[in-house]
Amino acid sequence: MLIKKPCDIPSSEITPEAIYNARRDFMRGTMSVAALGVGASAMNAFAAPTQVADQDLPGPDWLKKQITEAKANQEKITESLTPYEHVAGYNNFYEYGYDKTDPAAKSHVLKPHPWTVEVAGEVAKPGTFSLEDLLKGVTLEERIYRLRCVEAWSMVVPWVGFSLADLIKRAEPTSKAKYVAFTTLERPSEMPEQKSRFSTIDWPYREGLRMDEAMNPLTTLAVGLYGKVLPNQNGAPLRLVVPWKYGFKYIKSIVKIEFTEKQPKTTWSMLAPDEYGFYANVNPQVSHPRWSQAEERRLPSGLLRPNIVPTQLFNGYAEQVAHLYKDMDLRKFY
């Protein structure tokens, strides 16, 4: 069953321009929500977001300029943007801890500049490239997408980035390239949980997509959000955004993109294959083994006034992506 496309409302109407251009005053005056729902997997616990100042983030001038010049994408959405303090203050980034506020509180030690990304595997043009080289000639766009966490909370985020397909075309994958694998930075001196003896994760964090998923126009490599450089806690300086999939597919701080013939191993499907599949498509009809996926808690949301909304198949992007899974059993390929 396909989901009806949202009404065409320009992105400029989602948040008033005065609010967008003066978010500091907006957040000081209205964003005093005391608690947020973190999803069923956290046993319905609530946690306040880390107070993240909406300030100019560190980063090279060339990147700031490119982000400032980003074009507005034509993607339309009806929901309001999630305020900056929640997007930047409420995250999963297990390299910095398991509480939602840990990444914002602890990731300041990460040094995202300079940065290099290795392009490897079944491609004609492999190599290790600086972030600046990867973005040369690229026109960045502001892309407003829903983000749905497998834990049943969600956001609407104004990312700044470009289509992964553009990078793939430049790498010239061979006929053997059936999948794209991604690897996160492994630097224990800047990612403290990577050296914790209590961690159950086999670092570095890994994710992957099928080639047709990677080539879909919605699939984005993000370098910013809310018109600013991507904060460390949100996966600086380069992260994946796949809006029809659960958030754990949005791998952060990418250092390697590899083209493979076989389906790559991914972190959560290795940790708990019965709970987290390779595809991880948002599907309200397929429950997580420990909680329903039929509804989600849209942030900001409070204990006394939870903002509960129904979950949409493919997170509302069925019209753009359902054809990728034609004749597939979505309960088996979850």
Side-chain angles (χ1 to χ4, degrees):
M1 177 180 175
L2 294 180
I3 299 298
K4 186 177 179 181
K5 185 177 181 182
C7 299
D8 287 340
I9 296 180
S11 61
S12 61
E13 293 180 16
I14 296 176
T15 299
E17 184 176 0
I19 291 176
Y20 186 91
N21 293 332
R23 292 186 302 275
R24 294 181 183 87
D25 293 337
F26 173 69
M27 288 187 291
R28 278 199 296 263
T30 64
M31 290 300 108
S32 58
V33 177
L36 302 176
V38 302
S41 67
M43 297 179 294
N44 296 317
F46 287 78
T50 296
Q51 296 302 307
V52 180
D54 183 19
Q55 59 188 352
D56 190 29
L57 297 170
D61 290 340
W62 65 265
L63 180 58
K64 292 181 179 181
K65 182 175 185 295
Q66 203 163 344
I67 288 173
T68 300
E69 296 173 349
K71 295 183 177 181
N73 186 263
Q74 295 305 306
E75 188 71 21
K76 309 295 192 304
I77 196 167
T78 58
E79 294 95 335
S80 298
L81 297 181
T82 300
Y84 180 88
E85 73 170 276
H86 296 282
V87 176
Y90 192 86
N91 315 102
N92 283 325
F93 199 169
Y94 294 120
E95 285 82 347
Y96 295 101
Y98 295 92
D99 289 337
K100 297 295 183 288
T101 56
D102 283 344
K106 300 178 182 180
S107 64
H108 60 278
V109 296
L110 176 66
K111 297 179 176 61
H113 305 287
W115 195 266
T116 59
V117 178
E118 179 185 1
V119 177
E122 299 293 344
V123 290
K125 295 182 178 179
T128 299
F129 306 92
S130 69
L131 182 63
E132 184 173 11
D133 286 338
L134 282 182
L135 294 182
K136 280 183 179 176
V138 171
T139 299
L140 296 180
E141 297 178 333
E142 181 182 73
R143 297 181 166 201
I144 299 171
Y145 291 147
R146 302 176 198 89
L147 185 160
R148 170 58 154 83
C149 182
V150 72
E151 297 170 339
W153 54 267
S154 62
M155 300 180 174
V156 179
V157 183
W159 303 104
V160 178
F162 64 102
S163 289
L164 173 60
D166 293 343
L167 186 150
I168 292 174
K169 292 173 185 176
R170 287 158 56 189
E172 297 182 11
T174 72
S175 60
K176 292 183 178 181
K178 308 299 182 185
Y179 296 88
V180 185
F182 305 87
T183 305
T184 291
L185 175 72
E186 185 173 15
R187 195 181 291 165
S189 62
E190 298 175 22
M191 295 178 156
E193 286 299 319
Q194 290 180 343
K195 59 186 176 184
S196 170
R197 68 173 184 258
F198 300 108
S199 177
T200 58
I201 296 176
D202 180 16
W203 306 108
Y205 194 95
R206 283 161 278 186
E207 258 306 336
L209 298 172
R210 208 170 59 190
M211 181 62 76
D212 57 350
E213 296 176 316
M215 291 294 294
N216 187 277
L218 294 181
T219 307
T220 301
L221 286 174
V223 294
L225 60 80
Y226 258 114
K228 295 180 178 293
V229 172
L230 201 64
N232 284 1
Q233 62 268 26
N234 291 96
L238 184 70
R239 75 173 286 168
L240 184 68
V241 174
V242 199
W244 70 95
K245 295 182 178 288
Y246 291 121
F248 67 85
K249 298 292 288 188
Y250 294 35
I251 187 169
K252 304 176 180 73
S253 301
I254 298 169
V255 295
K256 186 176 183 179
I257 300 174
E258 183 176 9
F259 295 79
T260 66
E261 186 173 9
K262 296 182 179 181
Q263 181 175 304
K265 293 181 178 180
T266 60
T267 292
W268 279 104
S269 60
M270 289 189 292
L271 277 171
D274 293 336
E275 298 188 5
Y276 306 100
F278 176 81
Y279 286 96
N281 292 320
V282 176
N283 190 342
Q285 301 166 11
V286 177
S287 296
H288 185 278
R290 289 180 282 127
W291 60 84
S292 170
Q293 296 289 15
E295 296 179 329
E296 62 203 62
R297 191 183 303 278
R298 176 63 52 80
L299 303 186
S301 174
L303 178 62
L304 300 179
R305 303 181 73 177
N307 184 18
I308 304 298
V309 299
T311 292
Q312 301 180 67
L313 181 62
F314 298 115
N315 207 20
Y317 299 99
E319 184 174 328
Q320 296 96 321
V321 303
H323 66 279
L324 299 175
Y325 311 101
K326 184 181 179 180
D327 301 324
M328 286 179 63
D329 183 348
L330 298 181
R331 292 185 177 274
K332 179 180 178 181
F333 298 99
Y334 55 91

